[in-house]
C-alpha cells in the first residue's frame, strides 16, 4: 500500500476545507496539503449552490437569529455575532479577489437586498421592535423599516401584488445583502490550490480508516472508488470538513472530545422557478417567520438566486425526515452513528422533540399544491405550473450531551478539536458556509496556537483579514473602514 506523507489532510472538498486550505497556503506556502473527497468532484454536497440557501448570512433578514424574549423584547446578540463573522468572510474573499486568486466577484457573489417580511399584528410589532434595536447598532445602521404599501411595492412587488389590503404587513431591508454561490466560490479556491506546489486533490476517495499513531501523527486510509487503489496518508494535522460525514469520522478517530455527540439529520427541498418573466420581477431575499415547531433551517424565504451564472427564484426550504447524513449517503448513517457514549443523549432528544419529528414527517407528505399554498404567503399570484420541486442538501444538527447525561439539540455550527490540536472537525449547520472564514480562524487558533502567535503569521493574518484580533461589534470606525472596502471590492455597494 502506498504511503503519502503530508503536513495536513483535509477531509471533504467543501467550502470549509477549501477555506482552511487556502488560509494555510497563504500563511505558509511550504505546507504539504492533501484534500480527499469521496465524490468525483468538489463542492457537490452541502456546498453546492442548489444544496444551501446561498444567503450571505449576516443576520439582516433571518428572524430566527433575533428571538423574542419572554418579556416581549428582542434579543439581538446572536445577529450581531453572525454579522461580524460574515464580515470576516467578506474581508477574506476581498483579499483573494484583489490578489487575483479568485475570479471576478460576480462569479460567486452578487448584491441581493436582504428583506424580512411579516403579516399580522403580533409579528408586525415584533419586526418593528427588532428594527428599532438592530438599527441602533452600527452593524445594522442601514436597515430600513416600512409598513407603507407603496414602499413595499417598490421593495418586493411579487410579494405585495394582489395581497389582501386589510392585512397588516411590514418589512425591513438592507440593500447591500448578498447571494453567494458557495459551490462556484469553492471550486475557484480549489482550482487555485491545485496550481500550488505541495497540494494534492484526491477525488473519489472516501476515508475508510483513521487512527492516531503513538508519535501523534494521524493515519488516514482512503480507497479510490474508480481504481480500487488504497492509499495510506500520514499527517500531523487532520481536518474533518465533510459536512454530515464529519460526525462518523470524528467518532472513528477515537478522540475523547467526540464523546456524547450525536446527529439529527434533516433533508430539504426547494420550489424552483426559472421563468424569466417571473424571475426578473424579484431581486431580493425575503425571509419570514418559521412555523411553530419547525427547525431554524426551515424558515421560509423567497430568494433571487444566481447559481452557476443562471438566475432563478427559490422558495422554501421544505424540511423532511431522513436517516442519511449526506445527500449521497446511506440510509444506515443515523443507526451507524449510535454509540454507547451518545445513546442516552440521542434518546433524550428524540423524546423531547416529538413535535419536531411530527413536523418533519408532515413536511415529507405535503403535495405540490400544499407547497405552492405556502408559497402564496409570499407570492399571492404563484401558479403551480410555474414551479417545480428540487432536492436541497442534507443537514445534520448537533446533539450534545448535557451535564445531567441527557441531550440537547443544537442548531448552530461547532468546532470540535482534539486537546493536542492535531485534529479538528466542523459539526452542525446554520449559519454554516457564510461564516467559513471565521470558523477556520477558530481552527487555526486552536490547532496551530504557537504559529498563530508568531509575528509572521500575525502580519499575514492582518493582510488576509484586516480586522483580525479586533471586534467589529465594538469598533464602529473599524467596521466602517472594512465594510467600505469589501462592498467596493466585491461590487456589493
Amino acid at each position: 500500500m502506498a504511503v503519502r506523507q503530508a503536513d495536513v489532510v483535509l477531509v471533504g472538498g467543501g467550502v470549509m476545507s477549501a477555506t482552511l486550505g487556502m488560509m494555510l497556503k497563504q500563511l505558509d506556502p511550504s505546507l504539504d496539503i492533501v484534500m480527499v473527497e469521496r465524490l468525483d468532484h468538489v463542492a457537490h454536497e452541502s456546498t453546492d449552490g442548489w444544496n444551501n440557501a446561498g444567503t450571505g448570512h449576516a443576520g439582516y433578514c433571518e428572524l430566527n437569529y433575533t428571538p423574542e424574549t419572554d418579556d416581549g423584547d428582542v434579543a439581538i446578540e446572536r445577529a450581531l455575532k453572525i454579522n461580524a463573522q460574515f464580515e470576516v468572510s467578506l474581508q477574506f474573499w476581498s483579499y483573494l479577489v484583489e490578489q487575483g486568486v479568485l475570479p471576478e466577484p460576480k462569479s460567486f457573489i452578487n448584491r441581493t437586498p436582504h428583506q424580512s417580511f411579516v403579516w399580522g399584528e403580533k409579528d408586525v410589532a415584533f419586526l418593528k421592535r427588532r428594527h428599532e434595536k438592530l438599527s441602533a447598532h452600527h452593524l445594522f445602521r442601514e436597515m430600513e423599516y416600512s409598513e407603507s404599501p407603496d414602499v413595499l411595492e417598490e421593495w418586493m412587488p411579487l410579494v405585495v401584488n394582489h395581497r389582501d389590503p386589510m392585512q397588516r404587513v411590514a418589512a425591513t431591508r438592507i440593500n447591500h445583502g448578498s447571494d453567494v454561490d458557495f459551490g462556484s466560490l469553492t471550486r475557484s479556491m480549489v482550482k487555485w490550490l491545485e496550481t500550488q506546489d505541495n497540494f494534492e486533490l484526491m477525488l473519489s476517495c472516501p476515508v475508510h480508516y483513521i487512527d492516531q499513531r503513538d508519535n501523534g501523527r494521524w493515519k488516514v486510509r482512503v480507497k479510490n472508488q474508480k481504481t480500487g487503489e488504497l492509499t495510506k496518508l500520514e499527517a500531523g494535522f487532520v481536518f474533518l470538513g465533510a459536512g454530515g460525514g464529519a460526525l462518523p469520522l470524528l467518532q472513528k478517530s477515537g478522540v475523547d472530545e467526540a464523546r456524547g455527540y450525536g446527529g439529527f439529520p434533516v433533508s430539504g427541498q426547494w420550489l424552483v422557478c426559472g421563468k424569466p418573466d417571473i424571475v426578473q420581477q424579484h431581486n431580493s431575499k425575503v425571509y419570514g417567520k418559521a412555523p411553530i415547531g419547525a427547525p431554524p433551517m426551515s424558515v421560509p424565504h423567497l430568494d433571487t438566486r444566481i447559481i452557476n451564472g443562471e438566475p432563478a427564484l427559490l422558495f422554501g426550504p421544505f424540511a423532511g425526515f431522513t436517516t442519511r447524513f449526506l445527500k449521497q449517503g446511506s440510509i444506515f448513517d443515523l443507526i451507524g452513528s449510535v454509540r454507547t457514549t451518545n445513546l442516552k443523549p440521542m434518546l433524550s432528544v428524540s423524546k423531547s422533540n416529538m413535535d419536531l419529528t411530527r413536523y418533519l414527517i408532515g413536511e415529507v407528505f405535503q403535495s405540490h399544491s400544499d407547497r405552492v399554498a405556502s408559497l402564496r404567503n409570499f407570492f399571492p399570484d404563484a401558479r403551480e405550473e410555474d414551479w417545480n420541486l428540487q432536492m436541497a442538501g442534507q443537514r445534520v444538527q448537533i446533539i450534545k450531551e448535557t451535564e445531567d447525561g441527557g441531550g440537547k439539540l443544537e442548531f448552530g455550527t461547532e468546532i470540535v478539536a482534539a486537546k493536542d490540536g492535531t485534529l479538528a472537525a466542523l459539526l452542525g449547520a446554520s449559519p454554516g458556509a457564510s461564516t467559513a472564514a471565521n470558523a477556520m480562524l477558530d481552527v487555526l487558533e486552536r490547532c496551530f496556537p504557537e504559529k498563530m502567535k508568531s509575528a509572521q503569521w500575525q502580519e499575514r493574518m492582518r493582510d488576509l483579514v484586516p480586522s483580525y484580533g479586533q471586534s467589529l461589534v465594538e469598533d464602529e470606525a473599524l467596521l466602517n473602514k472594512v465594510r467600505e472596502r469589501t462592498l467596493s471590492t466585491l461590487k456589493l455597494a
Side-chain angles (χ1 to χ4, degrees):
M1 184 190 301
V3 179
R4 167 74 159 85
Q5 299 290 336
D7 296 312
V8 174
V9 170
L10 305 171
V11 180
V15 66
M16 295 296 176
S17 291
T19 300
L20 182 57
M22 180 65 76
M23 284 185 168
L24 286 169
K25 273 297 181 186
Q26 296 292 328
L27 291 166
D28 184 354
S30 70
L31 285 173
D32 189 355
I33 301 175
V34 178
M35 176 183 284
V36 296
E37 165 58 46
R38 65 192 291 270
L39 302 179
D40 60 4
H41 49 297
V42 300
H44 198 59
E45 272 282 351
S46 297
T47 297
D48 183 72
W50 292 106
N51 291 341
N52 59 70
T55 303
H57 283 300
Y60 292 142
C61 55
E62 308 91 335
L63 301 180
N64 56 306
Y65 294 161
T66 50
E68 194 166 4
T69 60
D70 292 338
D71 61 0
D73 204 354
V74 178
I76 66 169
E77 290 74 22
R78 189 173 183 222
L80 298 180
K81 180 181 178 181
I82 289 172
N83 188 280
Q85 290 175 343
F86 184 58
E87 291 288 344
V88 171
S89 290
L90 293 176
Q91 291 174 72
F92 184 53
W93 300 339
S94 294
Y95 174 83
L96 297 179
V97 167
E98 290 166 348
Q99 299 302 309
V101 173
L102 287 178
E104 181 71 16
K106 68 179 181 182
S107 70
F108 68 91
I109 188 169
N110 288 273
R111 184 175 76 86
T112 308
H114 283 196
Q115 305 185 119
S116 301
F117 176 74
V118 298
W119 56 89
E121 297 292 335
K122 184 177 185 296
D123 287 342
V124 167
F126 161 78
L127 190 66
K128 187 172 185 179
R129 178 61 177 151
R130 179 181 187 268
H131 170 258
E132 289 171 354
K133 294 199 69 172
L134 284 176
S135 62
H137 194 282
H138 57 267
L139 286 168
F140 291 83
R141 192 146 291 155
E142 291 94 343
M143 180 179 280
E144 303 171 81
Y145 174 89
S146 182
E147 298 178 31
S148 165
D150 292 338
V151 172
L152 298 190
E153 170 77 23
E154 178 187 341
W155 288 3
M156 49 181 81
L158 280 188
V159 175
V160 298
N161 282 346
H162 301 133
R163 185 173 293 278
D164 180 358
M166 300 306 293
Q167 182 184 54
R168 191 179 176 196
V169 297
T172 58
R173 178 175 73 164
I174 290 276
N175 250 332
H176 60 251
S178 59
D179 174 66
V180 187
D181 183 345
F182 290 105
S184 293
L185 169 66
T186 299
R187 286 186 285 272
S188 293
M189 286 196 286
V190 173
K191 183 178 179 180
W192 181 87
L193 286 169
E194 287 189 275
T195 68
Q196 305 302 297
D197 294 335
N198 302 317
F199 180 86
E200 182 179 357
L201 173 63
M202 300 177 67
L203 297 174
S204 302
C205 289
V207 173
H208 283 265
Y209 175 85
I210 180 169
D211 190 43
Q212 190 171 28
R213 298 182 59 184
D214 292 340
N215 64 4
R217 289 177 66 80
W218 286 90
K219 296 180 293 183
V220 180
R221 191 161 65 228
V222 300
K223 182 178 181 179
N224 189 299
Q225 298 289 81
K226 294 184 176 179
T227 67
E229 180 183 5
L230 288 170
T231 301
K232 185 167 74 172
L233 304 168
E234 288 194 6
F237 174 73
V238 173
F239 174 67
L240 305 177
L247 176 61
L249 291 171
L250 179 64
Q251 293 173 327
K252 288 181 180 179
S253 74
V255 298
D256 291 340
E257 290 74 13
R259 292 177 60 87
Y261 278 97
F264 186 91
V266 179
S267 64
Q269 297 172 311
W270 300 109
L271 282 178
V272 181
C273 176
K275 291 195 169 184
D277 59 322
I278 297 175
V279 173
Q280 66 187 8
Q281 295 181 59
H282 187 77
N283 179 37
S284 66
K285 291 179 177 287
V286 179
Y287 274 59
K289 291 194 79 172
I292 295 174
M297 68 168 284
S298 295
V299 172
H301 44 101
L302 179 63
D303 292 358
T304 296
R305 296 296 308 276
I306 300 176
I307 301 174
N308 300 322
E310 294 295 323
L313 292 187
L314 271 65
F315 177 76
F318 296 94
F321 182 75
T322 177
T323 57
R324 289 183 171 90
F325 278 7
L326 291 165
K327 192 172 182 178
Q328 300 189 40
S330 165
I331 60 173
F332 301 109
D333 287 342
L334 177 58
I335 295 298
S337 72
V338 177
R339 301 285 190 276
T340 56
T341 56
N342 68 12
L343 178 59
K344 186 176 179 182
M346 291 181 73
L347 289 175
S348 173
V349 164
S350 298
K351 183 179 179 180
S352 60
N353 285 273
M354 288 305 296
D355 287 346
L356 173 59
T357 303
R358 281 192 291 269
Y359 169 81
L360 296 176
I361 293 173
E363 288 274 283
V364 171
F365 289 102
Q366 281 197 95
S367 67
H368 185 63
S369 296
D370 291 334
R371 295 187 178 98
V372 174
S374 297
L375 166 62
R376 290 193 181 112
N377 287 320
F378 287 79
F379 178 16
D381 293 339
R383 298 183 305 175
E384 291 183 22
E385 59 267 28
D386 293 334
W387 298 78
N388 59 79
L389 193 66
Q390 181 154 329
M391 290 299 297
Q394 301 290 107
R395 296 292 183 270
V396 179
Q397 311 291 355
I398 305 167
I399 293 176
K400 288 182 68 173
E401 187 176 23
T402 55
E403 291 183 1
D404 62 1
K408 181 182 180 184
L409 190 61
E410 300 278 357
F411 290 104
T413 50
E414 184 165 338
I415 300 293
V416 179
K419 58 180 175 292
D420 63 2
T422 61
L423 179 140
L426 184 120
L427 305 179
S430 181
S434 296
T435 58
N438 190 82
M440 295 306 99
L441 283 179
D442 187 11
V443 170
L444 291 173
E445 290 173 345
R446 293 169 66 176
C447 299
F448 297 82
E450 296 308 314
K451 286 189 175 183
M452 284 294 282
K453 292 175 185 174
S454 69
Q456 180 182 358
W457 279 36
Q458 285 279 312
E459 183 179 353
R460 281 296 289 148
M461 278 310 317
R462 284 188 288 272
D463 289 337
L464 305 181
V465 180
S467 70
Y468 178 69
Q470 304 170 79
S471 172
L472 293 174
V473 175
E474 298 176 4
D475 193 330
E476 182 174 359
L478 177 63
L479 180 277
N480 292 338
K481 182 178 179 181
V482 301
R483 185 173 280 176
E484 181 180 8
R485 173 211 176 202
T486 58
L487 295 183
S488 173
T489 302
L490 299 176
K491 301 180 180 177
L492 301 175

